[in-house]
Amino acid sequence: MDKIAQGVGRPVPGSGDDRENRLSGLGGLSGIAVGVGTGVVVSLARHAGLRPPWWLGGLATGALAMTATDLPMARLGVSDPAGWSVTDWVSDAVPHLLYGLATYGTLAGHDR
């Protein structure tokens, strides 16, 4: 988050624990923004007629959310997914998959 904040000309103020807590909070907020944004995109795709089966829609939704979080981290040099261990990948993929299944399932449930 620090690189993003500096990149937009708004460095995170403070020092020590205060600054670390602010950065952690911004990280959480960015996760919420990605989740909401992904939900909106998938909802618009469903509204446009793209309606795969729930399991495929859930996988695609989770993959989209994962890409939306991991790609910027890699581009900014915050983390390098190419160097992640299997445990790192699993700890990243599982929550995104669960998010995708829950989000797509909720959207599909509103069709009835």
Side-chain angles (χ1 to χ4, degrees):
M1 289 310 308
D2 195 30
K3 285 188 178 186
I4 294 171
Q6 289 178 1
V8 297
R10 301 293 299 176
V12 177
S15 61
D17 286 344
D18 287 342
R19 187 167 189 281
E20 290 303 315
N21 289 337
R22 289 177 182 144
L23 288 169
S24 179
L26 287 173
L29 287 173
S30 71
I32 292 169
V34 167
V36 170
T38 301
V40 168
V41 167
V42 172
S43 179
L44 291 172
R46 285 188 57 78
H47 183 70
L50 184 61
R51 295 169 185 259
W54 71 268
W55 61 270
L56 182 58
L59 287 174
T61 302
L64 178 61
M66 189 168 163
T67 301
T69 57
D70 293 350
L71 188 60
M73 284 192 314
R75 293 243 172 175
L76 290 169
V78 173
S79 183
D80 181 13
W84 289 359
S85 69
V86 172
T87 303
D88 294 333
W89 275 106
V90 169
S91 68
D92 190 49
V94 169
H96 285 107
L97 173 61
L98 294 175
Y99 160 82
L101 291 170
T103 299
Y104 194 80
T106 300
L107 292 171
H110 284 278
D111 291 343
R112 295 185 170 98

